[in-house]
């Protein structure tokens, strides 16, 4: 197989496997064991020098960072499968922008709220939490959810029909709700997350 995905369960690699499943591309899943520090082994560092997951090899190209991988998959494979808009036009611009936004804004603020503002398996120990950081992250996270709510409007998905762009944000929120995040204030976002989670490719990626 020309595509090899390095990851472990319940990590950012899940959004990449979700995208690969949606695209119907054959790939090899290499499950790294973090307890054995396999992500720090020299062979893996040659693929991802930062020693984190995911990483992906596509032929002779190696990629790290899930957002970059989604952009590669979308532009190389997604257009012909109607899972990424073609080059030129506002939809392609929207696709690039919303994927980067999910990685640079939505995910980081959500994670900081989980770390500092909630009592979850991924939260910091109580003595290491900052109430100010939790409150600020929640405020920013709600601002971002407001933007998602407005974007969805009367459409089912971020670009109208489902694309890899939805995976970038929905994968974050799927993890967040699993750890106790509530989306009641944003009913369109909650319904959209539900639609995404019902997709067969999402279930296979888990």
């Amino acid at each position: 197989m020309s595509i090899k995905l390095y990851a472990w369960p319940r990590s950012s690699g899940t959004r990449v496997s979700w995208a690969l499943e949606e695209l119907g591309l054959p790939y090899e899943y290499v499950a790294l064991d973090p307890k054995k520090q396999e992500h720090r082994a020299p062979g893996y560092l040659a693929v991802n020098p930062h020693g984190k997951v995911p990483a992906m090899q596509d032929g002779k190209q190696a990629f790290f960072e899930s957002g970059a991988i989604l952009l590669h998959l979308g532009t190389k494979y997604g257009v012909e499968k109607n899972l990424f808009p073609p080059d030129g036009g506002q939809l392609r611009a929207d696709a690039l922008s919303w994927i980067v936004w999910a990685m640079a804004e939505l995910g980081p603020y959500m994670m900081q709220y989980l770390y500092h503002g909630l009592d979850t398996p991924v939260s910091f120990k109580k003595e290491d939490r900052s109430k100010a950081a939790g409150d600020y992250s929640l405020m920013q996270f709600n601002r971002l959810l407001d933007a998602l709510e407005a974007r969805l409007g009367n459409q089912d998905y971020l670009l109208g029909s489902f694309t890899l762009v939805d995976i970038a944000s929905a994968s974050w929120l799927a993890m967040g709700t699993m750890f106790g995040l509530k989306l009641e204030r944003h009913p369109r976002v909650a319904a959209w997350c539900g639609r995404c989670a019902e997709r067969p490719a999402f279930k296979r990626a888990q």
Side-chain angles (χ1 to χ4, degrees):
M1 294 180 185
S2 64
I3 297 178
K4 185 181 292 187
L5 171 62
Y6 301 84
W8 56 65
R10 294 189 177 185
S11 70
S12 296
T14 302
R15 72 174 55 95
V16 178
S17 57
W18 182 5
L20 290 166
E21 293 290 342
E22 292 283 0
L23 291 164
L25 296 172
Y27 65 100
E28 179 184 354
Y29 186 96
V30 181
L32 300 179
D33 187 343
K35 293 181 180 179
K36 296 180 180 178
Q37 293 288 296
E38 290 180 346
H39 57 304
R40 302 294 184 184
Y44 181 68
L45 292 175
V47 180
N48 184 349
H50 303 289
K52 301 173 72 174
V53 295
M56 190 187 79
Q57 290 177 306
D58 186 1
K60 295 181 179 181
Q61 292 181 300
F63 300 86
F64 57 88
E65 293 295 331
S66 60
I69 296 172
L70 284 181
L71 290 171
H72 167 72
L73 293 174
T75 54
K76 184 173 181 178
Y77 302 106
V79 176
E80 66 180 29
K81 301 197 175 188
N82 295 318
L83 287 170
F84 208 76
D87 196 13
Q90 188 58 45
L91 279 181
R92 171 60 74 92
D94 288 350
L96 301 178
S97 299
W98 281 100
I99 287 177
V100 173
W101 174 88
M103 301 303 143
E105 295 265 356
L106 183 68
Y109 278 120
M110 186 197 80
M111 292 306 300
Q112 288 301 311
Y113 176 55
L114 287 177
Y115 293 150
H116 292 284
L118 291 179
D119 189 14
T120 78
V122 299
S123 300
F124 291 151
K125 295 179 181 179
K126 289 186 178 180
E127 61 268 25
D128 295 329
R129 295 177 201 167
S130 164
K131 184 178 184 303
D135 290 346
Y136 179 75
S137 298
L138 177 60
M139 178 184 70
Q140 294 297 330
F141 182 56
N142 278 324
R143 173 182 62 83
L144 300 169
L145 290 178
D146 289 343
L148 267 180
E149 187 83 358
R151 174 68 185 187
L152 287 164
N154 294 320
Q155 60 188 23
D156 287 339
Y157 297 100
L158 292 177
L159 300 187
S161 59
F162 180 85
T163 66
L164 301 189
V165 177
D166 295 284
I167 293 175
S169 293
S171 58
W172 283 116
L173 297 179
M175 181 179 68
T177 54
M178 181 177 66
F179 287 124
L181 282 179
K182 305 297 183 184
L183 298 175
E184 287 89 346
R185 287 183 50 193
H186 300 87
R188 293 192 187 105
V189 174
W192 163 74
C193 283
R195 286 190 293 274
C196 289
E198 287 301 313
R199 295 185 66 83
F202 173 82
K203 296 178 180 180
R204 290 194 300 271
Q206 302 309 301

